[in-house]
Amino acid sequence: MIPQLLQREDRELRHYADGFSHLADELKKLDLLLRIAVLRLQGSITGPEAGLQPRAAISRDAVERLLQGDAKPVGNTGAIRLIRREISLLQDAMEEKTSVARERHIFLPLPELAAMFCLSPLELQMVVICLAPELDRKYDTVYAFLQDDITRKKPSIDLVLTLLGENREERWTMRRLLVPGSRLRRSSILESVADPHNPSGSSDLAEFLRVDPRIVAFLLGDNSLDGRLVAVCRSLAADVALADVAMAPSVKTRLRNLTLPFIRRENVPSKTIFYLYGPEGSGKVRLALALCGEIQCPLLQLDALLLPDDSGERNRLLRLAFREGLLTRSIIYLGNIDLLFAHDDGLRLFKEIEQAVLSYGWLVFMAGEKPWSPRHVRHDIDFHAFRVPAPDTDVREQCWQSALQAHGCPAARQWGSDLAKRYHLTPGAIEKAARLGASLARAEGRENRPCLDDFSKGSSSQSHHRLGTLAVRAETLCDWSDLVLPREKIELLQELCSQVKHRHMVFDTWGFARRISRGRGLSALFSGPPGTGKTLAAEIVANVLGLDLYKIDLAGVVSKYIGETEKNLSRIFREAEQSNAILFFDEADAMFGKRTEVKDAHDRYANIETSYLLQKMEEYEGMVILSTNLRANMDEAFTRRIRFIIEFPFPDKALRARIWQGHFPSAAPLATALDYDFLAGEFQVAGGNIRNIAVNSAFLAARENSPITMEHVLHAVKREYAKIGKLWTEGNRQKK
């Protein structure tokens, strides 16, 4: 029993404590190989040259001292045989110590590198030969001596083959392990180095080799990010729990089920790509991090937009990034990849990613905003496209409550519910909106006392306004007191706003969403003569709801080129969905008018555009307001699908009097009280004209530096009449 116990204790002591002790033994073995090479070189020099030193001006005795250390020198007779015996004993001991270290879960970089890249013992020895000069400068001297040139301090392909091959045939066979397409070179573990002393070049055998700097760092225990990737990559710790990801439970469950083989390490598919697509900020990165946490691997995030345009450099960085994932045991996450796939060389880029996955990857996340499915995916790679939808109201409410509580809001529950229903923001956008709201309060001296309006403003700033030249954002500063309409019209507009506010209750809580698959958005048609308040009403609705109003520029939308109008409309509705905006089509009969009888190709495509508009309006879940001066011009297919149709009548005398009075602010200087009843009865003009007259009369008074008088008002009326083509008579000036 005692001998067995001592043997077990001796075995436990004979293991590597760390990677450095293992590297030290590898260098001992290399020194023995170099001693053999020196002996062979000395034995190959005969005749008159035997007494001469090589032109490297390095003596054989100096090299022997570097390689033997404290060992006693031996003669040439049988020396090589003794050294080989010593190498064999050392190799056996190294294998034993490596095996014990592996059992004790001690990390040894060299064996790990071999396992990661499926390197053979011979390939690993080639790595050690090229690594040695990076660890000890004595190898500069030895390599220069063996290569008979003091300037050749790095190992060449010929030197590596000479050290490892017994004869010429073996060296020729080994050479395939060092050619550019070999595993060591393809993985950039070894790379060629230009010879500054021989710029004209020489044979491939004379080519210098070195270990890639990132591999050197790895072998020395430094696993920090490759410096060449700092600009495009970042490493993220998988410290997010799946339960903390703000997303519908059904979505998280589905994706977790797909990753179960990786979590359990059972029946793992060899190569798998998950393409996550959905709105920006919808939680794709957090979802990937949570799944990495379940798999117990960090995440290496790479932004595809930061990759260079040059395909060669881009492919090099992609391969370095995927290799980094292998070295750090990270899962790769390629963000914004759909924007690159949309380019002409998108398929080529995917093929580059495929090759990187085959070389280094196992599980890879790709992410973008748009759905995308590649053609001709390799049979040995599993590709899954997975939609990450925008959060529903319940998820948004949870995100808002968490964000508001973090900023010390006492009404977090109530405000969170209100903001979640008004703004269709993603979780990422909600975090930014909450931070901005708190900053706005701080800027106004209300530290830790933000109000609901601060967070509303923060939310509006996060509604990615990317409608560009196709729409104009309207200022919405007016309220119900600024709108003069018959009472029943005001009530109808208020009902319109009420449906937006209670949308979540009706569709989600009460289950109407399951009954209505399409057309859950809110559409309204405002019809009436020009100047009757249609645009003003749209602005007030947007202001009351706290949403942005975008007026669509029809000239920029409608294109003479076939198919362009549909593209513009698709972009408008897509961006509006992300911007939580109300779309306002002014003079919509120019675009939504009655469809025509097909007489030629232009009529056919015009009707296609009209049908496409119908489809996009039904799919859009926000609010669309159409405005027309004449309802009879509208296509009946539109009016059937519109939830609210509100007629804006030409104002009667009583309404005109209120409009006249409302357009002169209390701060405006009036010489005497203006006769609003006279103006309303005498001049039958709409609210828009009255607004113009009031503003113009104020400027007339300002020019004279006097209060506003009836003379100024009547003069402005005359100018407005001339503009709109109405007849002006001197009898109109009766009241002054």
Side-chain angles (χ1 to χ4, degrees):
M1 292 297 294
I2 293 177
Q4 292 179 354
L5 180 60
L6 291 175
Q7 184 178 8
R8 183 168 65 250
E9 289 177 350
D10 180 62
R11 184 174 184 272
E12 289 177 354
L13 289 174
R14 289 176 56 81
H15 71 269
Y16 292 114
D18 51 38
F20 294 129
S21 56
H22 178 259
L23 271 177
D25 273 358
E26 288 286 356
L27 292 180
K28 286 181 183 178
K29 185 169 67 174
L30 173 61
D31 288 351
L32 294 172
L33 289 173
L34 291 171
R35 287 177 61 190
I36 292 176
V38 170
L39 290 173
R40 281 178 172 172
L41 178 63
Q42 187 66 22
S44 67
I45 303 175
T46 58
E49 296 183 356
L52 299 177
Q53 295 293 339
R55 65 174 180 273
I58 301 172
S59 70
R60 177 177 179 273
D61 291 341
V63 172
E64 287 284 359
R65 287 195 297 273
L66 288 174
L67 296 178
Q68 290 186 26
D70 297 332
K72 294 180 179 181
V74 295
N76 287 348
T77 304
I80 293 178
R81 185 167 55 253
L82 293 175
I83 294 173
R84 290 207 176 281
R85 174 63 179 163
E86 191 173 349
I87 290 175
S88 178
L89 293 174
L90 178 59
Q91 182 64 42
D92 290 343
M94 290 174 62
E95 290 177 359
E96 172 72 10
K97 292 160 75 174
T98 300
S99 176
V100 177
R102 186 177 291 113
E103 292 174 4
R104 298 170 69 94
H105 305 290
I106 296 172
F107 181 76
L108 302 180
L110 265 175
E112 287 295 327
L113 186 75
M116 288 175 182
F117 295 93
C118 301
L119 302 180
S120 66
L122 183 59
E123 289 171 313
L124 197 61
Q125 189 62 57
M126 292 176 173
V127 173
V128 173
I129 294 171
C130 298
L131 175 67
E134 307 294 335
L135 305 181
D136 192 332
R137 291 200 61 188
K138 79 176 185 181
Y139 295 100
D140 292 345
T141 303
V142 178
Y143 288 174
F145 175 82
L146 291 175
Q147 295 179 101
D148 201 18
D149 190 336
I150 197 170
T151 66
R152 297 181 64 81
K153 299 178 180 181
K154 294 184 181 299
S156 65
I157 292 177
D158 182 63
L159 177 61
V160 173
L161 298 178
T162 299
L163 292 176
L164 298 177
E166 286 289 327
N167 50 55
R168 183 175 59 182
E169 289 73 15
E170 278 191 10
R171 291 193 289 272
W172 288 349
T173 302
M174 291 179 188
R175 186 172 177 177
R176 62 182 174 81
L177 300 178
L178 295 174
V179 297
S182 65
R183 185 160 38 210
L184 288 171
R185 301 284 293 276
R186 189 174 63 247
S187 301
S188 296
I189 296 174
L190 298 184
E191 55 187 21
S192 63
V193 184
D195 184 357
H197 299 286
N198 189 18
S200 60
S202 58
S203 68
D204 291 342
L205 282 173
E207 183 180 18
F208 287 142
L209 295 175
R210 73 166 184 173
V211 179
D212 178 79
R214 175 65 182 95
I215 301 297
V216 174
F218 173 81
L219 294 176
L220 294 178
D222 179 5
N223 221 11
S224 55
L225 184 65
D226 190 330
R228 292 163 290 187
L229 297 173
V230 170
V232 297
C233 285
R234 61 173 181 161
S235 181
L236 302 175
D239 53 2
V240 178
L242 195 59
D244 295 333
V245 177
M247 197 172 293
S250 58
V251 176
K252 294 187 288 187
T253 301
R254 280 189 59 204
L255 192 54
R256 188 181 187 278
N257 288 341
L258 286 174
T259 56
L260 273 178
F262 299 96
I263 297 172
R264 296 173 177 171
R265 306 290 202 279
E266 297 175 358
N267 301 318
V268 176
S270 56
K271 310 290 180 181
T272 302
I273 297 175
F274 286 127
Y275 175 56
L276 309 178
Y277 66 93
E280 181 183 354
S282 56
K284 299 185 287 290
V285 175
R286 286 182 62 82
L287 178 59
L289 275 174
L291 293 170
C292 287
E294 302 250 344
I295 302 172
Q296 298 181 347
C297 289
L299 186 72
L300 186 64
Q301 183 182 12
L302 185 152
D303 189 344
L305 289 181
L306 299 178
L307 291 173
D309 294 331
D310 179 72
S311 61
E313 180 64 13
R314 183 181 65 203
N315 188 29
R316 185 182 75 88
L317 286 178
L318 274 175
R319 295 186 67 84
L320 285 177
F322 275 82
R323 189 189 71 174
E324 187 71 18
L326 192 59
L327 292 173
T328 59
R329 301 180 182 274
S330 300
I331 294 175
I332 301 294
Y333 180 97
L334 281 167
N336 292 315
I337 201 69
D338 56 328
L339 299 180
L340 292 185
F341 287 160
H343 295 172
D344 293 337
D345 61 346
L347 182 59
R348 177 180 178 179
L349 172 62
F350 181 73
K351 292 303 176 183
E352 292 173 0
I353 293 173
E354 270 191 334
Q355 288 300 319
V357 171
L358 288 173
S359 298
Y360 311 115
W362 54 297
L363 174 61
V364 175
F365 289 105
M366 298 195 309
E369 294 187 23
K370 301 175 184 178
W372 184 81
S373 181
R375 295 172 295 170
H376 313 302
V377 181
R378 291 179 58 101
H379 70 280
D380 47 359
I381 294 180
D382 292 339
F383 182 92
H384 302 278
F386 196 89
R387 179 172 173 263
V388 180
D392 58 22
T393 307
D394 290 336
V395 173
R396 292 198 301 272
E397 189 170 337
Q398 293 173 9
C399 292
W400 269 116
Q401 289 177 4
S402 298
L404 293 174
Q405 287 170 358
H407 292 286
C409 299
R413 186 176 185 86
Q414 179 183 348
W415 291 1
S417 177
D418 179 68
L419 292 166
K421 293 169 185 175
R422 286 165 55 194
Y423 299 101
H424 296 178
L425 298 179
T426 60
I430 288 173
E431 290 183 11
K432 294 178 182 177
R435 287 198 301 269
L436 182 57
S439 298
L440 291 173
R442 193 179 307 116
E444 296 181 4
R446 293 181 284 106
E447 181 77 24
N448 298 324
R449 290 184 292 109
C451 63
L452 179 59
D453 187 56
D454 295 325
F455 297 110
S456 296
K457 291 177 181 178
S459 298
S460 295
S461 72
Q462 294 303 312
S463 300
H464 308 284
H465 304 308
R466 297 180 291 183
L467 291 173
T469 59
L470 301 180
V472 177
R473 183 175 179 269
E475 292 294 330
T476 56
L477 303 176
C478 301
D479 55 29
W480 296 121
S481 64
D482 298 300
L483 186 62
V484 178
L485 283 175
R487 184 62 196 167
E488 63 272 14
K489 304 299 181 183
I490 297 292
E491 291 176 352
L492 198 55
L493 288 168
Q494 290 173 341
E495 287 182 20
L496 175 71
C497 295
S498 177
Q499 289 207 8
V500 176
K501 293 178 180 179
H502 298 97
R503 184 180 187 277
H504 171 62
M505 178 183 293
V506 172
F507 283 118
D508 298 332
T509 306
W510 291 358
F512 275 80
R514 294 190 294 272
R515 303 281 184 175
I516 303 174
S517 59
R518 301 183 65 183
R520 285 183 282 180
L522 191 57
S523 56
L525 174 65
F526 294 173
S527 67
T532 51
K534 300 184 294 295
T535 301
L536 177 61
E539 293 174 356
I540 291 173
V541 166
N543 188 36
V544 169
L545 295 174
L547 301 177
D548 289 327
L549 179 71
Y550 274 91
K551 295 180 181 179
I552 306 303
D553 180 6
L554 297 180
V557 173
V558 180
S559 174
K560 65 181 179 180
Y561 298 106
I562 293 173
E564 286 300 312
T565 300
E566 290 91 329
K567 289 182 181 178
N568 291 336
L569 287 169
S570 177
R571 178 184 168 195
I572 286 172
F573 281 97
R574 182 179 65 252
E575 301 298 347
E577 189 77 48
Q578 297 182 14
S579 301
N580 314 309
I582 298 175
L583 295 180
F584 181 62
F585 290 87
D586 198 7
E587 299 182 4
D589 46 332
M591 194 173 180
F592 296 79
K594 291 183 177 179
R595 284 175 279 190
T596 60
E597 180 183 352
V598 177
K599 295 181 180 179
D600 56 26
H602 292 287
D603 292 336
R604 182 170 66 254
Y605 283 109
N607 288 343
I608 289 174
E609 291 171 358
T610 304
S611 299
Y612 186 77
L613 285 172
L614 284 169
Q615 174 191 337
K616 299 307 292 183
M617 283 186 63
E618 287 193 339
E619 293 174 354
Y620 185 54
E621 295 195 359
M623 180 187 291
V624 178
I625 299 177
L626 312 176
S627 171
T628 179
N629 295 334
L630 190 60
R631 177 182 169 183
N633 290 340
M634 297 296 294
D635 193 309
E636 293 182 2
F638 278 103
T639 57
R640 284 198 307 268
R641 290 168 168 82
I642 290 173
R643 187 93 58 84
F644 284 84
I645 298 179
I646 303 176
E647 297 285 348
F648 286 69
F650 191 87
D652 58 19
K653 180 180 178 180
L655 291 177
R656 289 200 299 273
R658 289 174 53 195
I659 295 172
W660 275 107
Q661 186 174 5
H663 277 301
F664 287 95
S666 59
L670 303 178
T672 57
L674 300 180
D675 191 342
Y676 298 120
D677 289 333
F678 167 79
L679 294 170
E682 187 66 24
F683 306 111
Q684 297 186 22
V685 290
N689 304 114
I690 294 174
R691 178 194 59 204
N692 295 338
I693 293 168
V695 173
N696 289 336
S697 67
F699 276 104
L700 289 170
R703 184 180 64 179
E704 299 174 2
N705 196 25
S706 69
I708 302 171
T709 65
M710 281 293 289
E711 179 67 27
H712 295 131
V713 175
L714 292 174
H715 186 81
V717 172
K718 181 179 179 179
R719 293 286 182 258
E720 189 70 14
Y721 265 39
K723 187 182 72 174
I724 64 178
K726 292 193 72 169
L727 181 64
W728 171 267
T729 64
E730 287 304 315
N732 296 126
R733 299 178 62 89
Q734 182 178 358
K735 185 76 173 180
K736 294 185 181 179

